[in-house]
Amino acid sequence: MLDIRIEKAPVLKEKPDPATLGFGKIFTDHMFIMDYTVEEGWHDARIVPFGPFEIHPASTVLHYGAEIFEGLKAYRTAEGKVQMFRPIENVRRMNASAERLCLPEIPEEDALQVLDAFVTFEQDWVPYKDGTSLYLRPFMFGNDETLGLHTIKNARYVLIASPVGSYYKEGINPVRIMIETEDVRAVRGGTGYAKCGGNYGASTRAGMKAEQKGYSQVLWLDGVERKYIEEVGAMNVMFKIGGEIVTPELSGSILPGITRKSCIEVLRNKGYKVTERKISVDELGKALADGTLEEAWGCGTAAVVSPIGELCYKDTIFKINDGKIGSVTQELYDTLTGIQWGKIKDTYGWIYPIAPNN
Ligand SMILES: *Cc1c(COP(=O)(O)O)cnc(C)c1O
C-alpha cells in the first residue's frame, strides 16, 4: 500500500466542451508522480498540480531511450458512474515492458492503487458525452544523471490524464492502410512486445510516408522475411477468412494488445473459431482473389475496433468487403464499447468501478 501525498492545484481549470475534444491535447488539473532509487525503492508517491517538471540534461531517458508507457481509459456510464476496463492487464503489461528495458517493476497492487486513487481524485474530468472518455497515460523513464551506460538506478513513474473525444465523429468509417515493405517496427529478440517509446521512434518514417500517400496507418510485416503480417500502427490486426477469424500469433515482435485479447475472448464466447498463427501477405492476396477474405479490422484502446476497407501492397490495392464495415467487426465494436460504457452487462469481470467522490 503506497502512502500518497496530495497537493491540490490552487485554481481548477474550466472543463472543456465535450463536443470539441480531440486526442491528448487537454490535461486534467493534477498528475501523479513517484520516484525510484535502488536504496529506497518506489517512494514519494504524490498527486500534484499538472505541469512541467525539471529533468537533468544527462538523464538516461534523453540519451538511451529508457522509456515505457501504457494507455487505458476511464469511462462514464449512463448513470454517471466512472469505470475502468481491465486495468490489471495494463499494470501487468507495464511490468513486462519494465523487465525488458531493465526499468524497475511496480508491485501490481500498488500500480492498481495509483490508477484507482488518481481516477477517483480526477473523476470530474471524465466527460459525459457519448463516446468520450478520460484517457490515462502512465509512463516510466530511467532517470540516472550520468552519461555512463549502467543498469538503471533511478527512475520516475508519472500518470497523466486527458479527456478525449469520440474516435468516430461521423460513424465508423473503414480506414485505408499501407503495407510497409522497407522499414520494420521490431524484430524477434528486440522490444516489439514492450510498450516503449523507442518502438515509435523506429515507426515514424513509414508513418509519414503512408500519410503522404493518403493512407491513415502502416501495416507492419515481420522484420526477417517481410512476408508475414504483424500489426497496424498502434493496433493489432484481425481478419475473417472463410468464416474463421485469424490474427497474427504473439511472436515477440508484436505488442500483446488488451483489446486484441478481449476481442479473442468475446469472439470465442460468441462461438467463432479464432486462430492465432502466421498470416502472409500472399495468403491475404489469395483469399482476396478467391473471395474468402471477408473482413479485416484493427483493434486497440483508442479506436476499440477499426474496420480496414483497403490495403495497399506495393502497387496492388486490396479492397476488402467493398470498403464497408463487416458484420463481425460491427458486432465486436458494439460488444466491447457496450461493456466499456456500461450499456451491456459485463459477464467477463472486466469492469473496475471507481467510487464516487463526495
Ligand atoms: C498499445 C498498442 C497496441 C494496442 O494495445 P491495447 O492494449 O489494445 O490498447 C497495439 N500495438 C501497439 C504497437 C501498441 O503500442
Side-chain angles (χ1 to χ4, degrees):
M1 192 72 178
L2 292 165
D3 184 15
I4 304 175
R5 167 169 67 83
I6 292 174
E7 182 193 327
K8 257 191 120 162
V11 186
L12 299 186
K13 297 177 228 177
E14 201 165 314
K15 305 287 185 298
D17 173 357
T20 61
L21 295 169
F23 181 82
K25 291 180 293 195
I26 297 162
F27 297 94
T28 66
D29 292 304
H30 300 88
M31 59 186 178
F32 173 90
I33 305 181
M34 63 179 172
D35 291 302
Y36 174 91
T37 59
V38 168
E39 296 77 31
E40 283 182 273
W42 287 107
H43 63 276
D44 201 11
R46 59 220 190 255
I47 291 173
V48 294
F50 182 90
F53 48 73
E54 286 199 339
I55 188 160
H56 191 280
S59 175
T60 329
V61 65
L62 298 179
H63 303 269
Y64 306 125
E67 194 265 354
I68 56 174
F69 66 97
E70 274 301 325
L72 68 161
K73 286 172 170 178
Y75 307 84
R76 176 86 61 186
T77 70
E79 298 83 52
K81 291 187 192 131
V82 172
Q83 54 189 35
M84 294 189 282
F85 182 74
R86 313 188 79 175
I88 190 68
E89 296 290 334
N90 296 90
V91 163
R92 290 180 181 145
R93 186 170 63 191
M94 193 166 194
N95 277 339
S97 302
E99 195 278 331
R100 179 64 184 83
L101 275 91
C102 297
L103 284 163
E105 293 177 35
I106 304 174
E108 285 180 11
E109 56 278 16
D110 291 351
L112 204 54
Q113 181 201 347
V114 167
L115 289 170
D116 186 322
F118 187 69
V119 175
T120 303
F121 192 74
E122 293 289 69
Q123 64 182 265
D124 290 348
W125 279 92
V126 183
Y128 283 81
K129 195 176 165 4
D130 215 30
T132 63
S133 55
L134 183 67
Y135 183 79
L136 307 171
R137 169 54 63 88
F139 60 102
M140 188 198 294
F141 55 91
N143 200 21
D144 286 336
E145 299 179 349
T146 165
L147 295 177
L149 259 177
H150 308 285
T151 52
I152 288 159
K153 295 192 178 65
N154 293 270
R156 174 168 283 188
Y157 169 99
V158 186
L159 170 59
I160 57 177
S162 169
V164 297
S166 172
Y167 195 85
Y168 297 106
K169 286 183 195 67
E170 293 123 22
I172 311 185
N173 279 318
V175 291
R176 298 169 67 229
I177 305 266
M178 199 191 80
I179 301 180
E180 173 60 38
T181 52
E182 295 284 325
D183 290 358
V184 298
R185 188 190 84 97
V187 291
R188 253 160 74 188
T191 55
Y193 71 87
K195 210 167 172 74
C196 67
N199 289 341
Y200 282 82
S203 309
T204 312
R205 187 170 69 176
M208 205 170 70
K209 219 165 67 184
E211 202 173 300
Q212 282 163 358
K213 289 190 174 171
Y215 288 88
S216 59
Q217 287 203 50
V218 168
L219 189 147
W220 298 104
L221 298 179
D222 75 278
V224 180
E225 296 180 75
R226 306 214 191 144
K227 194 171 146 187
Y228 298 102
I229 307 283
E230 298 242 301
E231 56 179 314
V232 176
M235 287 190 288
N236 295 106
V237 67
M238 298 188 171
F239 303 92
K240 181 161 174 257
I241 303 175
E244 182 185 327
I245 317 298
V246 289
T247 189
E249 64 194 0
L250 297 177
S251 55
S253 53
I254 295 175
L255 201 284
I258 294 157
T259 319
R260 175 190 182 277
K261 185 173 178 176
S262 307
C263 283
I264 293 173
E265 291 177 59
V266 164
L267 287 165
R268 287 192 175 143
N269 191 40
K270 287 181 188 287
Y272 291 100
K273 182 166 183 228
V274 185
T275 310
E276 299 173 66
R277 62 166 170 85
K278 281 194 168 72
I279 307 155
S280 67
V281 183
D282 266 6
E283 178 187 348
L284 280 189
K286 288 196 182 99
L288 188 79
D290 67 17
T292 51
L293 178 56
E294 299 164 71
E295 298 184 39
W297 64 89
C299 50
T301 296
V304 189
V305 171
S306 179
I308 299 171
E310 183 183 318
L311 287 172
C312 169
Y313 180 62
K314 295 181 178 160
D315 292 320
T316 313
I317 304 282
F318 296 8
K319 195 107 182 158
I320 301 163
N321 195 36
D322 267 339
K324 295 194 300 277
I325 181 166
S327 59
V328 174
T329 313
Q330 184 73 56
E331 189 181 359
L332 256 185
Y333 180 82
D334 293 343
T335 306
L336 288 177
T337 57
I339 294 171
Q340 288 164 340
W341 273 276
K343 293 175 196 153
I344 293 179
K345 193 168 175 291
D346 167 31
T347 56
Y348 297 91
W350 289 343
I351 291 303
Y352 184 105
I354 294 294
N357 219 356
N358 40 46

